[in-house]
Amino acid sequence: MSHDRHGLAMTGASAAAVRHYDQALDELLHFRAEVDAEANAAVAESPGFPMGNVLVAYLGLLTTEVEDARTARARFEAFQRRTEGAELLPRERAHVAAVRALLDGDLLACGSLLAELTAEYPRDALALAVGHQIDFFTGNARMLRDRIGGALTAWPDDDPHFGHLLGMYAFGLEETGHRDRSEEVGLRAVERNPRDVWAIHAVVHTYEEQGRFGTGLRYLDARLPDWSTGTFFNVHTWWHYCLYALESGDHARVLAIYDSVLADGQSCLELLDAAALLWRLHLEGSDQHRRWRDLADRWPARVAEPFYSFNDMHAVMSYVGAGRIAEAEKLVAGREAYVARPLPGVTNHGMTLRVGLPVCKAIVAFGRGDYDAVVDLLYPIRHRIAEFGGSHAQRDAVQRTLLEAALRAGRHQLARLLVSERIGLRPCSPYNWLKQAALADALGDGAAAAVARERAGDLARGGGAGRNVGGVE
């Protein structure tokens, strides 16, 4: 019997395997690529090590890449065949059950199993980290907050990974609307560990949701060495940097960062960041044909079969942006066939049916200039698009598409409602005031449009100075 660094018992592991496992957990919490090598080294040292094999499986299943999932399935099933009949500890059995649920495509069951596990073992860092990612993939904001919040008091303040839990908790607080508290907790986490990129990311989300883009730019600039290299989260944080630059109106800076950082992305996470950024530019009338073409070329193999609907949306954005409407329609047709057959317990099936397909169809309609169809598809689901995962910041691309379509379709009352909602939540956002100006122009109110543009200009120059009204969603 051995124990991990948090005192939890494990079976089947040599001393060397335990060291690799502990190091892998540390790399995972730091979002460093070395996690794969350390996890594989743990299994190489002790092939029958249950927690080592569980960790390797989670790593393969959480990339949202189909081929990684296939490899993870083959390896985990081989492990189970080798160890059939072996006695496992209750915690190990619970993890094996969670992995099996994930292999079956049941993200919701996996998240529930991990929640039960952490109620019994609140210092299981792996269960908390994986559960946190499952909550992100399923858009479960309350569990992003409460899964971590429910474990915090079981952790001593001097544990080297306690700060990482604070970073996760800060993100959950932000996604549930507790933005002042999120900023406080996130800054505390970064103070404990300046290279905790998930905590930095939580703070960045807080500033994004408050419209404090100047504060966000200064925060990221001051910590550039801590987040810009050495992790597999670098590109995503640069994407957040670009969102701030877009608010300030600095498109040249955005495109420079895109070309130097985002354009060469290879993973689904990196490709969807690139697509989401170019789509925002597309909505503002900046069509980047060459960049879209290069990005669209990278998607086909990754969405050849249904796996994660959130990825599908960004692939469709890329095809539409590149002018390859037929490819976008082919993907949509494939997903329609997918949802036509029952697949009980497959989380992505429900995601695709309820949210993914309407969003993908709306993006195709936008590409065709059928803005009324965009509104008709997106408006009924606008309050439940969280069901296919992502964050508020990521899903805002869908909300912006709806608003832009309403303006272009001449559906002014709906556009007024949507702009009013946005200004109420983020009065510091130049984008929101520019949409108010566009609406006033459409209504023939030049004076109101001028006032709104002046407000947008003042905010852009001031970096979104000020604090928004707080609120809990």
Side-chain angles (χ1 to χ4, degrees):
M1 186 80 67
S2 54
H3 294 79
D4 70 12
R5 70 187 303 166
H6 301 298
L8 297 172
M10 303 185 295
T11 61
S14 67
V18 171
R19 286 195 298 273
H20 285 299
Y21 177 83
D22 281 338
Q23 187 59 40
L25 274 181
D26 190 67
E27 304 293 359
L28 176 62
L29 293 171
H30 282 92
F31 284 75
R32 291 193 287 246
E34 289 82 358
V35 61
D36 287 323
E38 292 293 341
N40 284 316
V43 172
E45 287 284 349
S46 298
F49 176 22
M51 289 307 299
N53 282 277
V54 160
L55 172 57
V56 169
Y58 284 140
L59 294 176
L61 292 167
L62 293 178
T63 66
T64 74
E65 305 266 358
V66 176
E67 290 304 320
D68 289 347
R70 282 202 182 94
T71 300
R73 173 183 294 278
R75 293 187 66 179
F76 197 74
E77 289 178 347
F79 154 72
Q80 288 199 291
R81 286 193 298 271
R82 288 195 310 270
T83 58
E84 189 173 359
E87 286 293 326
L88 299 181
L89 299 173
R91 184 175 73 95
E92 294 170 333
R93 286 199 302 271
H95 270 291
V96 168
V99 169
R100 292 303 320 177
L102 207 49
L103 286 170
D104 292 340
D106 197 339
L107 279 71
L108 299 176
C110 178
S112 294
L113 288 167
L114 290 172
E116 293 172 10
L117 192 157
T118 53
E120 185 69 24
Y121 306 96
R123 296 194 64 205
D124 188 330
L126 180 60
L128 289 167
V130 172
H132 193 64
Q133 291 304 309
I134 294 293
D135 296 335
F136 176 75
F137 291 145
T138 56
N140 192 335
R142 282 191 172 86
M143 280 303 289
L144 276 169
R145 178 192 67 197
D146 294 345
R147 182 186 300 274
I148 308 301
L152 279 175
T153 59
W155 284 67
D157 187 76
D158 61 354
D159 189 292
H161 289 155
F162 180 66
H164 294 281
L165 262 69
L166 292 178
M168 287 187 260
Y169 188 49
F171 182 62
L173 287 167
E174 179 276 316
E175 288 295 297
T176 48
H178 302 272
R179 280 149 199 151
D180 288 344
R181 177 73 173 135
S182 172
E183 180 182 4
E184 173 194 345
V185 174
L187 290 174
R188 181 182 167 199
V190 177
E191 183 179 355
R192 290 177 65 105
N193 183 356
R195 295 190 68 85
D196 182 350
V197 292
W198 191 258
I200 292 172
H201 164 256
V203 175
V204 166
H205 267 274
T206 297
Y207 296 149
E208 159 70 17
E209 289 304 305
Q210 292 176 326
R212 297 164 61 194
F213 60 91
T215 303
L217 285 170
R218 290 188 294 273
Y219 183 78
L220 288 176
D221 282 339
R223 289 158 183 79
L224 190 66
D226 295 326
W227 61 263
S228 62
T229 60
T231 79
F232 51 81
F233 214 56
N234 305 340
V235 170
H236 186 66
T237 311
W238 276 115
W239 176 78
H240 277 283
Y241 194 103
C242 288
L243 295 192
Y244 293 144
L246 275 178
E247 278 280 28
S248 72
D250 193 348
H251 286 199
R253 193 178 195 183
V254 169
L255 291 174
I257 293 171
Y258 181 92
D259 290 339
S260 62
V261 180
L262 279 78
D264 294 327
Q266 297 300 320
S267 69
C268 281
L269 174 61
E270 293 171 346
L271 294 180
L272 69 84
D273 282 338
L277 186 60
L278 290 183
W279 188 254
R280 281 167 169 78
L281 290 167
H282 182 71
L283 293 176
E284 295 184 23
S286 177
D287 290 318
Q288 305 295 322
H289 298 295
R290 176 183 59 79
R291 294 179 175 92
W292 276 124
R293 184 181 65 247
D294 293 344
L295 179 58
D297 287 342
R298 294 190 174 93
W299 273 112
R302 291 177 171 83
V303 291
E305 60 187 87
F307 191 68
Y308 184 43
S309 185
F310 198 66
N311 291 347
D312 294 344
M313 172 182 75
H314 292 87
V316 170
M317 284 178 178
S318 301
Y319 294 148
V320 169
R324 287 149 59 168
I325 300 293
E327 286 184 66
E329 291 180 329
K330 180 181 177 181
L331 192 154
V332 168
R335 298 310 183 254
E336 287 179 321
Y338 167 63
V339 300
R341 62 184 191 272
L343 290 172
V346 177
T347 304
N348 184 61
H349 188 270
M351 286 178 173
T352 303
L353 178 64
R354 288 173 52 80
V355 179
L357 261 175
V359 170
C360 287
K361 288 179 178 179
I363 292 166
V364 174
F366 195 96
R368 290 195 172 281
D370 188 353
Y371 302 118
D372 276 309
V374 176
V375 172
D376 293 341
L377 285 161
L378 292 185
Y379 186 70
I381 66 168
R382 71 191 185 106
H383 289 314
R384 55 181 170 88
I385 61 167
E387 291 178 17
F388 77 158
S391 65
H392 289 304
Q394 289 174 308
R395 296 187 299 266
D396 194 43
V398 180
Q399 306 293 359
R400 290 180 182 224
T401 302
L402 171 59
L403 172 54
E404 189 60 37
L407 286 167
R408 296 188 189 190
R411 293 169 74 160
H412 297 143
Q413 282 302 101
L414 175 58
R416 184 209 59 77
L417 178 151
L418 296 172
V419 172
S420 181
E421 287 178 352
R422 296 185 69 92
I423 288 176
L425 286 172
R426 276 187 276 190
C428 300
S429 167
Y431 170 86
N432 293 342
W433 288 100
L434 287 173
K435 294 299 111 176
Q436 176 74 4
L439 175 61
D441 279 333
L443 294 172
D445 191 343
V451 169
R453 284 196 181 87
E454 182 178 4
R455 175 65 173 152
D458 288 343
L459 288 168
R461 287 186 292 273
R467 300 295 291 268
N468 291 330
V469 176
V472 177
E473 296 178 354

